[in-house]
Amino acid sequence: MAQSVTFDTPPIALALAGGGPLGAVYEVGALAALHDALPTLDFTRLHSYVGVSAGAFVAAGLANGITPREMVRMFIENEGADGEALAPGVFMRPAIGEYASRLALVPTTLLAAMWASVRSLKPSHALAELQRLSAVIPTGLFDNRAIERAMRTVLSKPGRSNDFRELKSKLFLIATDLDSGETVEFGSATMNHVPISQAVQASSSLPGLYTPVKIGARHYVDGALNKTLHASSALNAGAKLVICVNPLVPFNSTVAARAQSHLVERGLPTVLSQTFRALIHSRLEKSIASYATQYPDAKLIVLEPSKGDADLFFTNLFSYGNRRRLAEHAYQHTRAQLLARADVLTDEFAQYGIKLNLRALEDPSRKLLPTARRFSRGEAGAAASKLIQALDELELALLR
């Protein structure tokens, strides 16, 4: 077994929150902006990484040497072998096996409920007995085993590892133990034997959407159930500067760029989305406040969308065009955030030997993605991607 190698770099960490497809898209765009704005910081060689839910995919990739720009091609453009492995269809496969196993329980469960109701001879007991049928409801709509297989494929490439213990940086992927409700840190000393691909699968298993993930004798679900960022994992490991990206914020129509109707008029999905975001964000604010007391010698820099960002809140993430558009949106919004906070951030980053590239932030022509994709597949597309990457890297090198 390979031993962990410590980089000769400042103790800088990255903490990525969840947010489903929206979270992954936003984080990839935001990280590409950070990559361009901080050319002296190698995001694949940080002290530690923390990933929750969608953030687990991105954190695992970075810790394995996949750069933010490579993630754009992989997650957003779905280019190359890695992109094909993580194609959108991987995340939306119906849980046929779960449906079948639950359906098989219907006859015996229904008969048991009916027999118990007849024996009680009390109509009021009938409804209670019929609650037994809740056991036949599937625990998730989609099968996340394909996600685990895809991540295993990506992390099996040369130079990467599916073993926490072989990584050069600390990686913590957060999940929740379904039976105890406790937070679990995959990658910690007691849980680093679990393959990274399984930890990603568990961390991103949003209840109701995906079936719980069985690892050993335990079942795990989404890591966001208890905390939003879990930046404390990196802080406890010795990080002194943690860059945090949180894709989910509640929408505030009073600060939106254009007038919006009342959210209740958009139906239950919008109401649930707003409720979930408000809960997630309130916990984040409390955590950040507590970190200031618990870790007085550490610094957190939090980047997240504007609460008035209607485009982000109301967009349907399950289309290819929207995925590209929102990645660009996250890239430009993060650049604007960094530039607006440049006076403070320049000094804060300088304490850790990091230079903020103001020229890159002030350049209005910089884009994450080409306006239109001239190449979609084959050698021409791969060549174009490599050319764009080379030009980006050359420009960054000249600006350093």
Side-chain angles (χ1 to χ4, degrees):
M1 180 180 70
Q3 297 296 316
S4 177
V5 178
T6 302
F7 292 128
D8 185 21
T9 55
I12 301 171
L14 183 69
L16 303 174
L22 171 67
V25 169
Y26 190 91
E27 286 169 351
V28 169
L31 284 168
L34 284 165
H35 171 266
D36 293 355
L38 304 172
T40 59
L41 181 63
D42 187 343
F43 280 88
T44 66
R45 295 170 64 91
L46 299 182
H47 170 274
S48 49
Y49 303 86
V50 182
V52 182
S53 193
F57 291 92
V58 184
L62 290 169
N64 267 282
I66 302 174
T67 69
R69 284 286 177 171
E70 288 172 334
M71 287 192 180
V72 171
R73 293 189 292 278
M74 190 167 80
F75 284 116
I76 310 303
E77 302 282 49
N78 293 121
E79 292 179 348
D82 290 340
E84 291 178 2
L86 290 168
V90 169
F91 301 91
M92 306 295 288
R93 293 188 180 179
I96 301 299
E98 173 71 3
Y99 300 162
S101 64
R102 297 288 169 170
L103 185 61
L105 297 174
V106 171
T108 55
T109 304
L110 182 58
L111 286 173
M114 293 175 63
W115 177 243
S117 299
V118 169
R119 289 183 61 188
S120 69
L121 298 177
K122 292 182 179 181
S124 59
H125 288 181
L127 182 59
E129 293 300 336
L130 287 175
Q131 288 180 353
R132 295 171 182 252
L133 293 177
S134 63
V136 306
I137 300 174
T139 57
L141 295 176
F142 301 111
D143 186 350
N144 49 23
R145 290 178 298 177
I147 296 175
E148 190 278 329
R149 290 193 296 269
M151 284 302 297
R152 194 187 335 143
T153 298
V154 170
L155 299 182
S156 66
K157 301 294 178 61
R160 303 174 189 171
S161 176
N162 199 27
D163 190 328
F164 285 99
R165 297 163 294 189
E166 294 183 351
L167 297 180
K168 295 179 180 180
S169 300
K170 299 178 179 66
L171 172 64
F172 302 100
L173 303 180
I174 312 302
T176 303
D177 187 313
L178 181 61
D179 291 314
S180 69
E182 296 178 350
T183 295
V184 177
E185 290 182 332
F186 290 108
S188 65
T190 59
M191 297 297 290
N192 60 9
H193 61 283
V194 175
I196 295 173
S197 56
Q198 281 193 330
V200 170
Q201 179 193 12
S203 179
S204 60
S205 183
L206 184 63
L209 190 65
Y210 293 108
T211 56
V213 177
K214 186 177 182 181
I215 300 177
R218 311 294 293 181
H219 289 85
Y220 300 93
V221 293
D222 199 296
L225 268 62
N226 289 325
K227 280 187 180 180
T228 302
L229 270 174
H230 291 271
S232 56
S233 297
L235 294 169
N236 290 333
K240 297 303 179 184
L241 173 65
V242 184
I243 301 172
C244 308
V245 182
N246 172 47
L248 292 184
V249 297
F251 180 66
N252 186 342
S253 61
T254 62
V255 297
R258 61 179 186 272
Q260 297 290 328
S261 61
H262 294 294
L263 295 185
V264 71
E265 296 175 7
R266 294 176 177 263
L268 180 61
T270 299
V271 172
L272 291 177
S273 176
Q274 177 76 333
T275 303
F276 178 71
R277 290 163 179 262
L279 289 171
I280 288 288
H281 200 258
S282 65
R283 292 189 317 188
L284 173 63
E285 292 174 334
K286 291 179 181 178
S287 295
I288 292 175
S290 67
Y291 292 154
T293 301
Q294 297 176 36
Y295 310 95
D297 59 340
K299 176 68 179 179
L300 269 69
I301 295 175
V302 182
L303 300 171
E304 58 186 14
S306 165
K307 290 186 177 181
D309 195 333
D311 287 341
L312 198 62
F313 184 81
F314 293 110
T315 295
N316 172 17
L317 260 291
F318 298 99
S319 75
Y320 187 82
N322 282 339
R323 189 164 67 255
R324 298 184 78 247
R325 181 177 64 80
L326 286 178
E328 184 70 49
H329 181 82
Y331 175 78
Q332 298 298 347
H333 178 74
T334 303
R335 291 181 67 239
Q337 268 191 310
L338 293 171
L339 185 59
R341 297 163 60 181
D343 290 345
V344 174
L345 292 179
T346 297
D347 294 336
E348 291 181 344
F349 282 131
Q351 296 176 34
Y352 299 90
I354 307 172
K355 180 181 178 181
L356 187 64
N357 188 346
L358 291 177
R359 288 179 59 189
L361 293 176
E362 292 170 347
D363 182 0
S365 66
R366 294 184 76 92
K367 290 184 177 296
L368 176 66
L369 300 164
T371 303
R373 298 189 69 199
R374 295 182 181 178
F375 306 103
S376 58
R377 295 183 180 275
E379 295 181 359
S385 295
K386 290 179 180 179
L387 176 60
I388 292 171
Q389 180 186 15
L391 291 174
D392 286 340
E393 292 176 350
L394 175 61
E395 182 178 7
L396 289 173
L398 293 173
L399 290 171
R400 291 182 183 182

